[in-house]
Amino acid sequence: MQTVTLIPGDGIGPEITESAVRILKSAGAEIEWDIQTAGADVIEEEGTPLPERVIKSIMKNKVALKAPVTTPIGKGFRSVNVQLRKSLNLYANLRPCKNIEGIETRFNNVDIVIVRENTEDLYAGIERQIDRDSAESIKIITREASERIAEFAFEYAVKNKRKMVHSVTKANICKLTDGLFLDSVRNIAQKYPQIEYKEILVDNLCMQLVQKPEKFDIMVLPNLYGDIVSDLCAGLIGGLGIAQGANIGKEYAVFEPVHGSAPDIKGQNKANPTALLLSAIEMLKYIDQKDTANKIEKALYKTIKEKINLTPDLGGTSTTTDYTKTIISNL
Ligand code: NAI
């Protein structure tokens, strides 16, 4: 039995968490959940959306499954997600994007893995109001973090038998910062002659992704481009409801979907739990419960392929509850 920190988040977080936990339990996952609330709902009582107990729990258990947490725009606490990634040094944000049979999209040959640097860039949070009508933000890029994420991308390529890595920057304009990122990836690429290495500017990448996504395999990007491009790639395979993710460091790993707390559909029993479930499947593989992971994966793909009881974002009319029941009956 492995203890795993569970953060149900807010917005649609608790609904999709309940679904994923039920499916994992039905599949026989050997997990004891250490439930840690965080986000908008705990601020009143604890004065912060990210109480210290949440970090301590992950430090103790080493692994967490996390649902989304709301970040207020323009004011208040910066971001639970950014804070969590920083506190635990979860430097790599891994976001695989692959077509799922049964979900019709413009393309049927997308199989991309996004490796996003997770600790610096404009997310370092160094912002300043100059006067009432102007503000500035500082973009931090270091060789250490850039080489570390490049190494992660190439190691992932080798372990998962992938063929190509693209570095993605805007080094023609941000010559020093993105230039440093690019130079760092180039250095690391030399150590992996068996993996084809290519470079592309982020604007050109966006255009090519929506025309020929099959040209791309693994991409390594600084934080902000990684954030934006991963939503684009989620769109290529059918939307945020099915886009999984993981934040990985040397000591800890937090598995979470790409999407946010979706306040527009909160409490309506129509959120798609697939992205969280796919993240949980990766978590099961990570903690060496591969058979359970494969069992859930099969039941999930069968459910989607048969198109019975899909949630509205996938073109169905089902509730989260019925979709969950169908997956469980397919286990
Ligand atoms: P969002 O990802 O929450 O929603 C964007 C659109 O996708 C909405 O129309 C929503 O209904 C839909 N959607 C998202 N997940 C879905 C699901 N599982 N099933 C069906 N439809 C789904 O992005 P938004 O609205 O920009 O952000 C809402 C809040 O979430 C913000 O406070 C943001 O900061 C936060 N956020 C948190 C993240 C995290 O905890 N890791 C990641 C991204 C955003």
Side-chain angles (χ1 to χ4, degrees):
M1 194 65 75
Q2 167 127 13
T3 309
V4 172
T5 301
L6 179 68
I7 304 170
D10 56 31
I12 59 167
E15 302 165 47
I16 55 173
T17 301
E18 193 193 328
S19 161
V21 166
R22 277 184 58 195
I23 295 166
L24 262 67
K25 188 168 180 223
S26 305
E30 295 191 350
I31 290 178
E32 197 167 303
W33 298 108
D34 176 3
I35 301 173
Q36 295 290 334
T37 50
D41 304 344
V42 306
I43 296 179
E44 205 171 299
E45 253 188 44
E46 303 189 55
T48 168
L50 184 61
E52 197 49 35
R53 59 175 168 75
V54 182
I55 307 276
K56 281 193 178 145
S57 162
I58 303 173
M59 285 181 162
K60 185 164 77 78
N61 300 322
K62 313 275 190 229
V63 185
L65 180 65
K66 177 185 163 296
V69 170
T70 305
T71 303
I73 292 180
K75 60 181 163 45
F77 193 86
R78 215 179 150 75
S79 162
V80 168
N81 304 307
V82 173
Q83 194 54 44
L84 199 64
R85 291 164 193 168
K86 263 193 183 170
S87 309
L88 299 168
N89 207 3
L90 302 169
Y91 66 89
N93 190 193
L94 186 65
R95 296 180 158 182
C97 266
K98 193 171 180 204
N99 281 116
I100 297 178
E101 202 182 343
I103 300 177
E104 271 139 45
T105 61
R106 288 184 178 83
F107 306 99
N108 58 9
N109 45 7
V110 180
D111 185 4
I112 294 170
V113 177
I114 291 173
V115 179
R116 164 187 171 194
E117 203 291 320
N118 225 4
T119 62
E120 48 185 32
D121 195 352
L122 284 164
Y123 289 69
I126 308 167
E127 281 195 308
R128 184 171 80 93
Q129 193 78 39
I130 297 169
D131 57 37
R132 199 174 64 100
D133 299 317
S134 49
E136 67 180 2
S137 181
I138 296 178
K139 172 168 164 139
I140 306 279
I141 300 283
T142 64
R143 186 175 299 281
E144 187 191 356
S146 305
E147 289 194 347
R148 182 173 64 174
I149 197 68
E151 189 99 46
F152 184 96
F154 281 96
E155 279 299 314
Y156 183 93
V158 172
K159 278 196 198 112
N160 294 279
K161 302 190 172 52
R162 313 282 300 211
K163 296 201 163 48
M164 194 194 337
V165 173
H166 270 92
S167 69
V168 183
T169 64
K170 188 76 185 165
N172 54 337
I173 302 296
C174 302
K175 291 187 196 300
L176 298 184
T177 47
D178 283 12
L180 178 57
F181 186 88
L182 182 60
D183 189 55
S184 307
V185 183
R186 267 184 201 161
N187 280 344
I188 298 297
Q190 286 176 4
K191 295 193 341 198
Y192 296 87
Q194 72 275 41
I195 307 288
E196 190 181 355
Y197 169 61
K198 289 189 173 176
E199 298 172 353
I200 189 163
L201 297 176
V202 66
D203 39 358
N204 182 15
L205 171 79
C206 289
M207 191 268 294
Q208 297 209 32
L209 274 175
V210 296
Q211 287 191 319
K212 289 187 175 155
E214 71 277 6
K215 281 174 60 178
F216 298 93
D217 184 351
I218 292 179
M219 296 189 275
V220 59
L221 313 88
N223 208 338
L224 182 62
Y225 309 141
D227 191 4
I228 298 168
V229 170
S230 49
D231 269 36
L232 190 161
C233 289
L236 294 177
I237 57 162
L240 283 167
I242 56 167
Q244 59 171 308
N247 300 290
I248 297 176
K250 295 261 185 263
E251 287 180 87
Y252 316 110
V254 176
F255 294 80
E256 64 171 347
V258 171
H259 66 73
S261 56
D264 53 334
I265 56 166
K266 173 189 172 180
Q268 297 172 31
N269 199 14
K270 62 181 185 192
N272 188 348
T274 306
L276 182 65
L277 187 60
L278 284 167
S279 309
I281 290 170
E282 284 313 306
M283 182 202 74
L284 285 169
K285 292 179 187 165
Y286 182 84
I287 60 173
D288 250 354
Q289 297 193 24
K290 294 196 178 65
D291 290 348
T292 317
N294 293 338
K295 189 167 153 188
I296 300 174
E297 207 163 33
K298 264 192 186 162
L300 170 67
Y301 290 149
K302 181 170 191 291
T303 307
I304 294 176
K305 196 175 164 190
E306 287 173 348
K307 296 189 184 173
I308 310 163
N309 283 338
L310 296 186
T311 47
D313 60 302
L314 295 184
T317 53
S318 173
T319 59
T320 311
T321 317
D322 286 341
Y323 178 63
T324 306
K325 279 186 192 154
T326 313
I327 297 172
I328 290 172
S329 70
N330 280 331
L331 278 170

